[in-house]
Amino acid sequence: MKSAFLILADGTFFEGKAIGAEGTTIGETVFTTGMTGYVETLTDPSYFGQIVTQTFPLIGNYGVMPQDFESKKSWVRGYIVRELCDGPSNFRCEGSLDEFLKKQGIVGICGIDTRALTKKLREAGVMNGMIVTGECPEITEELLNKIKSYKIEKAVESVQSVGGKSLPLVRTPLLTTPSPRGTPPKTPDHSVVLFDFGAKANIQRELEKRGCQVTVVPYDTTAQKVIELAPDGVMLSNGPGDPAENVNIIEEIRKLCEYGKIPIFGICLGHQMLALARGATTSKLKYGHRGGNHPCKDLQTERVYITSQNHGYAVESSSLPPQAKLSFVNVNDNTCEGVTYTDIPAFSVQFHPEACGGPHDTNFLFDRFIEMMN
């Protein structure tokens, strides 16, 4: 294995071994605490522009299975693991993680102290980084400025698939399975418009399991177009980047809210943009919430649920308008995790009730959405 180096924007560097594609990549370095679900992590569009660090030490032990993909390809800028398993064992395995990274053109590094890296990011906050394979470049002021200057922009626009259709997988020897999307019900009970801001495939699967005919529409679909489709409900999906950047999308969501006759359910980025459309504000978290073990309290029942999360921004609870009721809070840092709107049929959550892999504690929120459409 070739040598590889991770260089952070503050000059900190780690030496390890190269995995995946060869070359150089720059991105926002983040960490996720998930103990499983690395296939879903790598194909989640919400990680667009980011170099992802897995805190769990051994990654790749069950290989890669395209049936579990959350989108048509990997969107990460780079990948960091402590130990990469090169002999996966699972009856569903269709290839190794290293093969997948190579085919997707993802530059990665293994063999570094991911615990030390995670502690660094927790203390200093999320920062940009560079992974380079081969020889380590001289760490000059010019190089650090290049790393620091990287910025995630036009994220939602960049992760678009074929709007309005199921996501096809790229056909390669490793990826031989059809679309990761679900199977439409033969006799649907409800029709749902799913805004694709970088939607995870499992959102559509969960809706279709409950008898919904799902129409996936592009991020720039107008409110008027949605109203003309006359759906029973609207789903605002997850996605990458700064929610406040999406000014035009937020304006269309505001118009849907003003229309006020179609139930709306927002998840992650959809939750944030719905709040922005109602007059709230968002802010960037120091190092974000990423993993499958985040406790959230339901303020109505006082029950705590373990949730899957992947976000770097949060809705400011203090900025919520009078008609927005805080419904869930993060037990760790008390940030906003859910909002219910009292003047329109709408609610949203910051975490992922469709989590796969991850806890299914909050899967019932899809049933709540069905009841709202009823």
Side-chain angles (χ1 to χ4, degrees):
M1 297 176 77
K2 282 190 174 183
S3 294
F5 299 85
L6 169 67
I7 305 169
L8 297 179
D10 68 350
T12 303
F13 75 96
F14 297 82
E15 181 177 0
K17 297 297 182 181
I19 59 174
E22 295 183 15
T24 300
T25 187
I26 299 176
E28 184 181 71
T29 312
V30 302
F31 64 87
T32 177
T33 59
M35 297 173 67
T36 185
Y38 57 82
V39 172
E40 291 87 344
T41 292
L42 284 165
T43 55
D44 182 350
S46 296
Y47 281 109
F48 172 80
Q50 296 177 330
I51 294 175
V52 178
T53 306
Q54 298 274 177
T55 62
F56 191 72
L58 178 64
I59 298 294
N61 55 312
Y62 53 83
V64 173
M65 46 283 294
Q67 303 98 318
D68 295 343
F69 283 12
E70 290 288 5
S71 70
K72 62 182 178 179
K73 64 185 288 289
S74 180
W75 301 98
V76 304
R77 293 279 293 186
Y79 200 50
I80 303 171
V81 299
R82 176 67 184 90
E83 181 181 351
L84 181 76
C85 177
D86 57 5
S89 177
N90 187 284
F91 73 99
R92 298 168 66 233
C93 174
E94 294 190 25
S96 72
L97 179 54
D98 189 50
E99 288 174 324
F100 172 78
L101 294 173
K102 283 183 169 68
K103 289 181 183 294
Q104 294 287 317
I106 305 300
V107 179
I109 183 172
C110 72
I112 71 168
D113 189 342
T114 51
R115 182 178 175 85
L117 173 59
T118 301
K119 289 175 69 176
K120 176 76 175 178
L121 296 176
R122 280 182 61 93
E123 293 166 6
V126 168
M127 68 174 73
N128 290 347
M130 168 190 281
I131 299 176
V132 56
T133 61
E135 296 294 324
C136 182
E138 184 181 355
I139 302 177
T140 62
E141 195 66 33
E142 182 182 2
L143 179 67
L144 295 180
N145 286 335
K146 181 180 179 181
I147 296 172
K148 291 174 185 176
S149 66
Y150 176 79
K151 187 177 181 182
I152 299 175
E153 296 179 311
K154 297 182 179 180
V156 171
E157 180 182 338
S158 299
V159 298
Q160 286 307 291
S161 57
V162 282
K165 301 178 183 178
S166 295
L167 296 180
L169 289 182
V170 179
R171 297 286 182 170
T172 73
L174 178 64
L175 313 180
T176 57
T177 307
S179 165
R181 296 283 184 174
T183 304
K186 292 181 180 179
T187 55
D189 298 318
H190 300 93
S191 61
V192 175
V193 164
L194 169 58
F195 269 95
D196 182 8
F197 304 136
K200 293 169 64 180
N202 212 44
I203 293 177
Q204 183 170 337
R205 293 192 195 107
E206 290 296 334
L207 290 169
E208 289 177 339
K209 266 196 244 177
R210 291 164 172 79
C212 295
Q213 177 67 49
V214 180
T215 300
V216 183
V217 299
Y219 72 102
D220 55 357
T221 302
T222 64
Q224 184 58 40
K225 177 62 177 177
V226 172
I227 293 169
E228 289 172 2
L229 291 171
D232 298 315
V234 171
M235 173 67 72
L236 306 176
S237 83
N238 65 290
D242 182 351
E245 179 186 51
N246 304 292
V247 177
N248 293 335
I249 301 174
I250 293 166
E251 176 60 19
E252 296 305 318
I253 294 174
R254 184 188 64 78
K255 291 176 183 177
L256 278 176
C257 293
E258 287 181 349
Y259 182 67
K261 298 179 182 179
I262 306 174
I264 300 173
F265 181 15
I267 293 175
C268 198
L269 182 68
H271 153 80
Q272 296 164 359
M273 292 198 292
L274 178 57
L276 288 167
R278 302 311 308 277
T281 58
T282 55
S283 61
K284 189 167 186 176
L285 298 171
K286 184 176 180 180
Y287 48 81
H289 299 155
R290 297 176 182 87
N293 58 351
H294 291 264
C296 292
K297 180 189 283 189
D298 184 331
L299 296 181
Q300 184 175 355
T301 64
E302 295 294 308
R303 179 174 175 177
V304 174
Y305 297 93
I306 302 302
T307 68
S308 175
Q309 304 200 14
N310 172 21
H311 62 104
Y313 292 81
V315 175
E316 292 283 350
S317 299
S318 60
S319 72
L320 290 172
Q323 67 271 24
K325 181 182 177 183
L326 188 65
S327 57
F328 287 89
V329 295
N330 191 295
V331 174
N332 291 332
D333 60 13
N334 209 41
T335 52
C336 172
E337 292 283 356
V339 178
T340 299
Y341 296 90
T342 57
D343 60 333
I344 57 172
F347 70 101
S348 63
V349 290
Q350 180 64 77
F351 48 84
H352 290 272
E354 84 292 346
C356 188
H360 299 161
D361 296 30
T362 57
N363 206 246
F364 67 88
L365 291 170
F366 284 97
D367 299 320
R368 183 179 295 178
F369 184 44
I370 299 298
E371 292 170 7
M372 184 178 284
M373 287 190 287
N374 287 336

